[in-house]
Amino acid sequence: MFVKSFSYTTALGLMLGASISVNAAIIINGTRVIFPSDQKNITVQVKNEGSAPALMQTWIDNGDADVIPDESDVPFVVMPPVSRVDPMSGQTIHISNINADLPQDRESVYWLNVLDIPAKPQTADAESDNLLQIAIRNRIKIFYRPKQLQGKAIDAPKKLQWGLSSDYLTVNNPTPYYVNISNLIAVSNAGKQYELAPDGLMLSPFANQNIELKNLEIQKINLLSINDYGGINSFDVELKQ
């Protein structure tokens, strides 16, 4: 079983007049995974915090959230692909690197998918036949990190290079690390604040990106970056026109 679209499943239930049950019980320990190149295997811990057993499906994709598990072409194997997780019990996911032919001068990013398929409730209610349960998918990043990379990932956000024009804020990432930004808060000359990236931003290694300013006149930004542990680091960047 694989649920491709959460919103489509929800809409279908509403059209059919079914009672919808949403039970997100499988919790991943962590918000991202770091896979060092000198390790062949890593583990990720999950837990079923619900009161009923759940069926868990796991797979890895290369950034296409719509690809189905059987068609995902990635250099990793995840085990077990499907397993039962009892209530209030943990499960270990094993991820193995099966292809060492990945760039060694920069990080690579993939995505771990954990699909939580809840068990059907045991009920004598006559309406239970119209119950539509929704499988919930959690999706977190996997960063493959070559051992010989220069510098440290935690320092990468402060090494970003910024340029300012009347239309765009340009950012260059000169480091071999991905920089995950949860938000950019622009501060105008008058002291007003504007959110430039409320949905987040991920800067690839050695890449540039333009952020539209929409005629805003700003003098500095507050950058909120996400570290390896899912924590938020904040610091200000002074800008020059």
Side-chain angles (χ1 to χ4, degrees):
M1 177 182 181
F2 171 67
V3 175
K4 187 174 181 180
S5 173
F6 175 90
S7 58
Y8 175 79
T9 307
T10 304
L12 180 62
L14 294 175
M15 288 187 291
L16 294 176
S19 173
I20 299 176
S21 174
V22 179
N23 298 296
I26 300 293
I27 306 298
I28 305 174
N29 183 18
T31 62
R32 61 207 57 239
V33 177
I34 308 300
F35 199 126
S37 64
D38 58 346
Q39 295 186 23
K40 295 183 178 180
N41 305 279
I42 62 171
T43 60
V44 178
Q45 301 295 323
V46 300
K47 184 179 181 181
N48 180 0
E49 296 190 347
S51 58
L55 185 65
M56 181 181 70
Q57 183 179 14
T58 58
W59 72 98
I60 296 173
D61 68 67
N62 62 2
D64 183 356
D66 293 326
V67 69
I68 64 176
D70 291 343
E71 296 178 358
S72 182
D73 184 17
V74 296
F76 301 96
V77 170
V78 57
M79 296 294 291
V82 178
S83 62
R84 170 190 165 116
V85 186
D86 289 327
M88 303 309 297
S89 296
Q91 172 76 46
T92 299
I93 299 172
H94 298 270
I95 302 175
S96 301
N97 179 10
I98 59 172
N99 181 5
D101 190 22
L102 288 171
Q104 297 300 302
D105 66 337
R106 68 193 68 193
E107 286 185 324
S108 301
V109 65
Y110 295 88
W111 295 79
L112 172 65
N113 298 267
V114 176
L115 185 68
D116 174 6
I117 307 171
K120 183 177 179 179
Q122 299 298 319
T123 176
D125 191 339
E127 295 182 357
S128 63
D129 290 340
N130 294 323
L131 177 68
L132 176 62
Q133 290 188 283
I134 298 175
I136 304 296
R137 177 171 65 166
N138 289 305
R139 192 164 175 262
I140 65 173
K141 300 182 185 76
I142 301 174
F143 294 100
Y144 175 81
R145 181 172 295 169
K147 183 180 179 180
Q148 67 273 21
L149 295 184
Q150 298 296 315
K152 297 180 179 179
I154 196 171
D155 297 327
K158 292 186 177 181
K159 294 184 178 181
L160 297 177
Q161 300 167 346
W162 301 88
L164 183 62
S165 69
S166 58
D167 298 320
Y168 294 99
L169 177 66
T170 301
V171 55
N172 172 53
N173 179 9
T175 78
Y177 300 96
Y178 278 89
V179 176
N180 288 265
I181 296 174
S182 62
N183 204 346
L184 287 173
I185 310 297
V187 182
S188 71
N189 296 333
K192 293 184 178 181
Q193 296 187 355
Y194 307 89
E195 291 186 334
L196 298 182
D199 296 325
L201 189 66
M202 184 168 70
L203 302 175
S204 301
F206 310 122
N208 297 299
Q209 189 158 339
N210 291 328
I211 303 167
E212 189 175 0
L213 289 179
K214 299 180 180 179
N215 298 319
L216 296 177
E217 294 184 359
I218 61 177
Q219 68 177 48
K220 69 177 181 179
I221 56 173
N222 175 244
L223 186 150
L224 304 175
S225 63
I226 307 173
N227 60 34
D228 284 353
Y229 308 100
I232 301 296
N233 298 328
S234 173
F235 60 92
D236 293 331
V237 178
E238 296 290 338
L239 301 172
K240 295 182 179 180
Q241 191 79 28

